[in-house]
Structure formats: C-alpha cells, structure tokens
Amino acid sequence: MAAFLYRIGRLAFRRRWTVALVWAAVLAAVGLAGITAPEAEEEPFSMPGIESQEAFDLMEERFPGAAADGATARVVFVSPNGEKVTATENKKAVEAAIAELGDGTQVASTVDPYESGAVSEDGSTAYTTVTYKVDAAGLTDASRSHLDKSLEHARDSGLTVEAGGDAMEDMGGPSGTAEAIGVSVAAVVLLITFGSLAAAGLPLLTALIGVGISLFAITALAGPLGLADTTSTVAVMLGLAVGIDYALFIVSRYREERAKGRAAQEAVALATGTAGSAVVFAGLTVVIALAGLSVVGIPMLTEMGLGAAGAVVVGVLIALTLVPAFLGFWPNAILTRKDRKARRAGGTPRETRKVNGGTRWASFVLRRPLPVLLAAVAGLGALALPMTDLQLGMPGDEAKSTQTTQRRAYEALAEGFGPGFNGPLTVVVDAKDADDPKAAAETVSERIVGTEGVVSVSPAQFNESGDTAVFSVVPTTAPTDQETKDLVSSIRGDRSGIESAAGATFEVTGTTAMNIDVSEKVQSALVPYLLVVVGLAVILLLVVFRSILVPLKAAAGFLLSVLASLGAVVVVFQQGHGADLLGVETTGPIMSLMPIFLVGIVFGLAMDYEVFLVSRMREAYVHGERPAQAVTSGFRHSARVVVAAALIMIAVFSGFIGDSDAMIKMIGFGLASAVLLDAFVVRMAIVPAVLALLGERAWWLPKWLDRILPRVDVEGEALTRPAEPEAEPAEKDLARA
C-alpha cells in the first residue's frame, strides 16, 4: 500500500498540471450536469416494513387521488376575553378571514368550521383547514405572503389567530451559515496549526473542490434516483469535514519530511505513501459506517449514507492526487517561516525532536496510566447513564419556539380540543371480504372507541368501491406522550378479537402512529447496525495495525464516546438540564433517527482519529522504538494535528446549534459533543493509557493470523531511506518562481 501510494504521490507531483486540469475538468463536467439537471421531485417519506406504512399504501391504492400531497395550513381562531367564536361579531370575523384565505391563487379549498363542527365544546376556539393545489415546496412567495397577510387582517378583528401545517414551513433551504462558521473557524485553526497562509489555505481549497464535485454529482443524480435534500446536506457536512482532515494530514507529513532535509518531490511521495495510507484506511472506515446505514432499511437513511460515503471517497482521492499536485506548485510556501528563512539563507532545515504539547501530555499519561484510564472511563460512564432514560420520537410543532405561530397554534388546539387532537390516529378498515362492509367498519369503530385513552372516533369515510373505510381516532394524550404509544399498542393488541367480530381487517396509521413505528424500527435496528459496522471496522483495523487488542480497544472507546454523547443529548433535550443555554424551549423525546445517525457519522470520524494517531505509534514501533517511546512519538507527530482536526469538526457541527429548529440543534449538539469526547477523552487519554498498560502485548498477533492477513504496510516500512540532499536546481527555480 505505502509503496503504491508513494508512486501515486510522486507521479502527481511531477504531472501536477495534468492532475490539476483533470480535476478541473471533473468539477466542470459534474457542475454542468448539476446545473442543467431537472429539478428533483420531492419524494414522500417512506418506511417499508411497518404497519403504518402498509396502511398508508393501502389508502393510496383504495382512495386514488385522495392522498394528494397538496400543502395545508390549519388556521386556529381563539375568541378574546372569554367570548365565544360563535358570537355574531366573532363569527363574521372568522368567515371573512376564511373568505380571504380562499382567495389565494394556489388555494384548492377551505373548510367552514361552523358547518364542519370544528368548534370546541366551550365555544372558545375554532379552526379551518386551507388546502393548496401544490405541495409545500411548490408554494410561491405570493401565496405565502397572501397567507401571512390574511392572518394579520384576521388578528385586526381582536381574535387570536395562529396557523400550523406544512404550508407554514420555511422551504428556503439551508442558509449555509453553519458551513460558513465551520470554514471560518477551520481557517483560523489551520493558520494557528501551520503558521502559514498557504499551508492553511491548501486543505480548505481542496476540501471545497471535493465538496463542489460531490454536491454537483448528487444534484445531477437527485432527479433520476429521487434523492432527498438531506442527502446533499449530509454529504456537504461530511465532505467538508473529512476533506479538510485528510489534506491536513498529508500537508503535515510533507512538512515533517521537508524538515528532515528531503527534496520536495521525495517529501510529497513519502507523505502520500505514509500519511496517505492512513487516509485510505480512515476513509474506508468512514465509508463502511455510512454505507452501513443501508442495513437499517430506511430509504432516507440509505440515501444519506451512500451520498455522504461518495463525498468521502472523493475526499480521499483528492487528498492522494490533487494535494500532492498543489504541493508541487508551492513546495516552499507550505513550509514554516523558520524553514523558509533557512532555505533562503542557503541552509537545510534540520529535524528537531523538540518537546511539544503532545509529548508532554503523553509523558503525563505514561507516568500514571491507570488513574487516567479510570478517570476517563468513569467520566464517560457518568455521562452515558442518562441513556437508560432515552425516549425516541419525532418532535413536531410542540418542539418549535414559542415565538413561532406553529407552536402557538399547536397549544391553542390542545387547549381547545384536548392534547390528543394534535396527533389523531388514522384507522384503515379493509372490508373487501366482508359480507357487509359498513357494518364491519362500524364494529371496528365501536370497539376502538371503547378503548381506554380514546376521546372520540370520527364517522367512517368509504371509498368509491365501498370496500375500504377510514376514520380518525383522537387520543386523550399528546402525540409524544408514552400513554399515546401505549394506546396504539393496545389497539393493535386487540386486533384479533376486533377483526374476528367485524369480519374485516384493519391497520393503524397517521403521523403519530408512523412516528411510533419508526422509533421502534430504529431501536430494533441499532444493535444489528452496530454489529455489522463495528465488526467490519475491527477487521479493517486488524489488517492496518496487525494487532488483536488495538482494534478492540478502538471499538470499545468509540462505544463509550457515542453513549456518553447520547447521554448528553438526553440530559439537555429530554430532561431539560442546561436547555436554556442552547435556546431549547421545550423538551421531549429524542428524534428517532438521532441515535443511529449519530453512531454512523461519529464512528467514521472516531476511527479517523484512531487511524491517524495510532498509525504513527505503529510506525515508530515497527521502526524499532519501545512501546512507551512509540506512544510518545505518535503524540509528538500527530497530537497537534488530531486536535486541530477535532476542533474543526466541533466548529462545523456547533454551527448547527444556533439553528431555530429543535431537531437541527439536537443534531449539531450531539455531533459536536461526540467529537469532543472521542477526540479529547478517548483518543487523547484512554488510548495512550491502555497502550501504556499493555506494553508489548498491544502489538501482539498470533503467528497463524499474521500469515493469513494481507500486508498493507501502512507505516511505510518499505519506504525507509536516508534523507536526500537539498533541493535540485530545478526545484529551486520553481520555488523562486
């Protein structure tokens, strides 16, 4: 591996113009394809293999056209000062508002609450549903402005008027603020790390090129493959993250080789052969983790995982080819100021084994490995404890800020009609084989309305064939309450008796039931996913490090950090401790996809740090250093760069914490805390402590297994050679140019 990549780096340096032009052509080609590609149609959320999805599919089949994806706005009217919305003046104001709402050019229909019975028992609240001819993404600015103005005019009458529904969602897409913050912080961190504008700018430039290629490619494929917007969002986030990291390690190793007195071409080749090998295997672990999301069986997660994995592959290829080519254009500009001065004075920079922060920290841990290990494990264990209280769900309008009209509409409906009104269940009765379909549907309805926890059941609506009925069930509790989940389980648990009495089958669906089913599916898939991903990564690390214990230690450390980060998410977003500091106004269940999403992304990044840090220790050990010396050498060369990479990741993810959406806040906080814990506690404390305690045993591998495993030479043993003399005249001319 090292020898092959050595040749790749050397060739990229010598043919730098060709490499740069090839990548420019690739960027131009995919850019043109992405710009000219037809706009992708928004694919509905789908979750194969769960009852609520099967019921929804049955509705699509039996009620063709009824499940149209037109946007809706549910407008709530609350009378002032104890008055009733049925009072003459208030009724006139409501009817005028509904008439104005119905005048929109894209409005399909509105519903009169006084005719449909959408008035609360105490007469204080009424609501209407505005249905549009297009989905939320298709609403024009004029339609959104008309909706907002209609609400304002209705408020002028003295009524409290709020609105929810997907028509109220901001469809403007991501603002790019989080990415801008991440890039800005990355630039500062890189500048501090390298002390050179050129060295700091090169990883940013190559990462942005990689992100551009990935983003345009996903945009071009979005239409034919039906990819969701989240696919490109995650690909950009991870492509930027790993693109900076991988270039950072190549550039850092290049400067190290130049400090040994090697010529630029040889230094590039050696950096690509050694650090490039670590990049390849680190990238493979990330790809395994992301592609492994396909195991869960959720199409959206599969798309996100494969899209992000593609972005990581692009990042690896750019690090191995374009970074060496750019180093060929600016061989000396990348160096430290001290090294550049030495070269201008006609001298040769000399490698110094100075004591830096990495060696001082490694020495501290090596002197007291057991206390450091126990303290780190105890701290992560304490953070992970709240995980035992984890509740999964899909937060809706109740999780939005109280400053939003959607949140206020949610609360007004809950107060006027009961908390369960915001999350009704939909029951689909398949009476195709029943002797009397209407009687069958009525029997199912009567049995369900008698279930504890049910407030009411709406009249059944039949399809044109008269063989399928649909009705709504309003629970007594809110959509995210445990009691609502128990109610769904209770109704489904009584299925056999109800179906036997009715002579027809039924299924439960609706947004609330869908969220419950998704949460259960994700929970059941988490363990198999972990087994597949961690198992494959352990095998890969076994090949890289040729050790039994190092890969197992890496996997155990990752599990500690991800459990601790999930515990921190539970503490803030579910239990509410410190929620005010992050602007979280409402606590509740953790987003269903959060644990598996967090595991997939953080596992890949965690293994990045593991490979980069421990591969330098392995390299030192293979080249003759004692285990303790190897740990110190690894920290001397890699600790500063790993810390810089982690700070960049934390900055990128932390940018999302400032988002107004509670789910985005949760994702940003979870990822940032996971990287913080993994990089600074697991990799910087637990890893050296465990290696210090294991000593020679850390690198033990049975002889029979050593014979079976392929040799990839990540540590670059085949490349060991004495330092070359100062740069050739041609290189000096290039540097002056």
Side-chain angles (χ1 to χ4, degrees):
M1 171 67 76
F4 172 73
L5 293 178
Y6 173 90
R7 291 192 294 271
I8 293 290
R10 193 178 184 93
L11 181 64
F13 183 95
R14 296 173 61 187
R15 301 285 186 266
R16 45 190 169 272
W17 279 108
T18 302
V19 172
L21 290 173
V22 167
W23 278 110
V26 170
L27 179 59
V30 295
L32 181 63
I35 292 171
T36 58
E39 188 173 347
E41 295 184 6
E42 188 71 20
E43 293 288 331
F45 180 79
S46 177
M47 179 69 73
I50 59 176
E51 178 177 328
S52 51
Q53 182 65 53
E54 293 170 356
F56 181 80
D57 293 342
L58 181 62
M59 289 175 62
E60 291 259 296
E61 177 188 341
R62 302 287 177 86
F63 294 83
D69 57 357
T72 60
R74 189 153 64 172
V75 182
V76 187
F77 305 92
V78 182
S79 56
N81 304 321
E83 299 176 10
K84 296 185 181 298
V85 289
T86 53
T88 304
E89 292 301 319
N90 291 334
K91 186 175 181 180
K92 285 182 180 179
V94 171
E95 290 175 339
I98 293 173
E100 185 177 357
L101 286 165
D103 285 341
T105 56
Q106 291 183 301
V107 175
S109 65
T110 57
V111 179
D112 189 322
Y114 302 104
E115 294 180 2
S116 63
V119 179
S120 62
E121 289 185 8
D122 62 4
S124 66
T125 309
Y127 72 91
T128 184
T129 301
V130 182
T131 304
Y132 290 86
K133 300 173 185 177
V134 296
D135 61 16
L139 285 178
T140 62
D141 291 339
S143 291
R144 294 182 184 277
S145 177
H146 176 266
L147 174 58
D148 292 336
K149 288 179 180 178
S150 299
L151 298 179
E152 287 300 325
H153 292 162
R155 290 177 183 128
D156 292 340
S157 67
L159 295 170
T160 298
V161 184
E162 307 294 350
D166 57 355
M168 301 300 299
E169 297 294 336
D170 180 13
M171 304 301 292
S175 65
T177 302
E179 289 83 352
I181 293 173
V183 170
S184 301
V185 175
V188 174
V189 172
L190 289 170
L191 187 59
I192 294 173
T193 302
F194 286 132
S196 162
L197 283 174
L202 193 151
L204 288 175
L205 175 61
T206 54
L208 290 173
I209 291 172
V211 166
I213 291 172
S214 302
L215 184 58
F216 283 129
I218 291 172
T219 303
L221 295 173
L225 300 182
L227 303 179
D229 291 340
T230 50
T231 304
S232 58
T233 302
V234 176
V236 167
M237 181 170 60
L238 284 188
L240 183 64
V242 302
I244 295 173
D245 276 7
Y246 296 164
L248 174 65
F249 278 91
I250 297 287
V251 172
S252 177
R253 187 59 183 260
Y254 167 79
R255 297 199 341 164
E256 183 183 323
E257 295 299 332
R258 289 300 301 275
K260 295 177 181 178
R262 299 189 191 280
Q265 180 173 289
E266 181 67 9
V268 165
L270 285 171
T272 309
T274 52
S277 297
V279 165
V280 168
F281 283 97
L284 279 175
T285 59
V286 180
V287 169
I288 287 172
L290 294 170
L293 290 170
S294 307
V295 174
V296 183
I298 301 176
M300 184 179 74
L301 272 182
T302 300
E303 293 173 6
M304 289 166 57
L306 294 179
V312 172
V313 171
V314 172
V316 171
L317 293 176
I318 282 182
L320 298 178
T321 56
L322 189 58
V323 171
F326 280 171
L327 289 173
F329 287 119
W330 303 287
N332 291 337
I334 303 296
L335 303 180
T336 63
R337 186 177 305 164
K338 181 179 179 181
D339 286 353
R340 292 198 301 272
K341 285 183 178 179
R343 288 181 178 277
R344 283 196 296 268
T348 301
R350 301 177 67 180
E351 182 189 21
T352 57
R353 289 180 169 266
K354 64 178 182 179
V355 176
N356 56 23
T359 57
R360 285 192 291 270
W361 173 251
S363 299
F364 172 81
V365 176
L366 290 172
R367 288 196 300 271
R368 45 186 70 80
L370 190 57
V372 169
L373 177 61
L374 293 177
V377 172
L380 292 177
L383 279 175
L385 275 178
M387 260 287 293
T388 57
D389 188 37
L390 176 67
Q391 296 176 8
L392 296 181
M394 291 296 287
D397 286 346
E398 78 281 0
K400 295 184 183 296
S401 167
T402 54
Q403 304 301 313
T404 63
T405 186
Q406 296 100 313
R407 169 68 180 277
R408 294 193 295 266
Y410 178 95
E411 293 177 343
L413 286 170
E415 185 175 346
F417 297 91
F421 188 80
N422 283 298
L425 308 175
T426 301
V427 176
V428 185
V429 181
D430 184 358
K432 194 172 185 178
D433 298 327
D435 297 332
D436 187 346
K438 290 188 177 180
E442 186 176 343
T443 300
V444 174
S445 177
E446 289 175 351
R447 294 289 292 270
I448 289 178
V449 79
T451 305
E452 183 180 355
V454 173
V455 173
S456 63
V457 172
S458 68
Q461 301 293 321
F462 281 84
N463 62 345
E464 289 185 5
S465 303
D467 59 5
T468 308
V470 174
F471 59 85
S472 295
V473 178
V474 179
T476 58
T477 51
T480 57
D481 287 351
Q482 179 62 37
E483 290 83 354
T484 305
K485 181 178 179 180
D486 294 339
L487 173 62
V488 173
S489 299
S490 178
I491 293 174
R492 290 172 173 172
D494 295 337
R495 189 195 313 274
S496 59
I498 297 174
E499 291 180 343
S500 178
T505 61
F506 75 89
E507 292 173 318
V508 182
T509 187
T511 302
T512 300
M514 177 71 80
N515 291 341
I516 292 171
D517 290 347
V518 169
S519 299
E520 291 179 349
K521 180 165 185 174
V522 169
Q523 281 182 305
S524 63
L526 185 57
V527 173
Y529 172 70
L530 277 173
L531 290 175
V532 170
V533 171
V534 174
L536 289 174
V538 166
I539 293 173
L540 186 64
L541 294 179
L542 187 66
V543 174
V544 173
F545 296 127
R546 308 197 72 78
S547 161
I548 294 288
L549 298 179
V550 170
L552 294 177
K553 175 266 306 169
F558 156 73
L559 290 175
L560 270 176
S561 61
V562 79
L563 288 176
S565 62
L566 279 173
V569 170
V570 170
V571 167
V572 175
F573 291 89
Q574 184 175 306
Q575 298 176 352
H577 303 295
D580 292 342
L581 298 175
L582 300 181
V584 179
E585 299 183 14
T586 302
T587 58
I590 304 304
M591 184 178 64
S592 298
L593 302 181
M594 181 67 182
I596 209 156
F597 182 77
L598 187 70
V599 167
I601 293 180
V602 174
F603 180 79
L605 297 178
M607 292 303 104
D608 269 6
Y609 304 139
E610 176 76 13
V611 171
F612 287 137
L613 185 62
V614 180
S615 63
R616 290 309 299 265
M617 299 178 190
R618 169 75 183 172
E619 180 179 338
Y621 178 75
V622 167
H623 291 163
E625 293 189 12
R626 303 295 301 164
Q629 291 176 306
V631 170
T632 303
S633 294
F635 268 79
R636 180 173 63 251
H637 294 298
S638 298
R640 189 180 184 188
V641 184
V642 168
V643 167
L647 289 175
I648 291 169
M649 294 302 95
I650 293 168
V652 170
F653 297 141
S654 294
F656 292 92
I657 298 176
D659 198 281
S660 59
D661 190 290
M663 289 190 290
I664 301 299
K665 280 182 183 290
M666 190 182 301
I667 291 172
F669 177 80
L671 292 175
S673 60
V675 172
L676 174 69
L677 295 172
D678 193 89
F680 292 100
V681 180
V682 175
R683 308 305 154 192
M684 291 292 160
I686 292 179
V687 167
V690 171
L691 292 179
L693 292 170
L694 291 175
E696 294 279 358
R697 295 186 297 276
W699 309 108
W700 172 79
L701 185 71
K703 291 184 179 179
W704 64 269
L705 187 57
D706 185 52
R707 290 192 297 269
I708 295 174
L709 291 177
R711 294 187 177 275
V712 294
D713 189 24
V714 175
E715 58 276 357
E717 188 176 7
L719 305 179
T720 304
R721 63 189 67 187
E724 295 185 3
E726 173 58 34
E728 309 85 15
E731 184 186 318
K732 288 184 177 180
D733 293 340
L734 176 63
R736 284 195 294 269

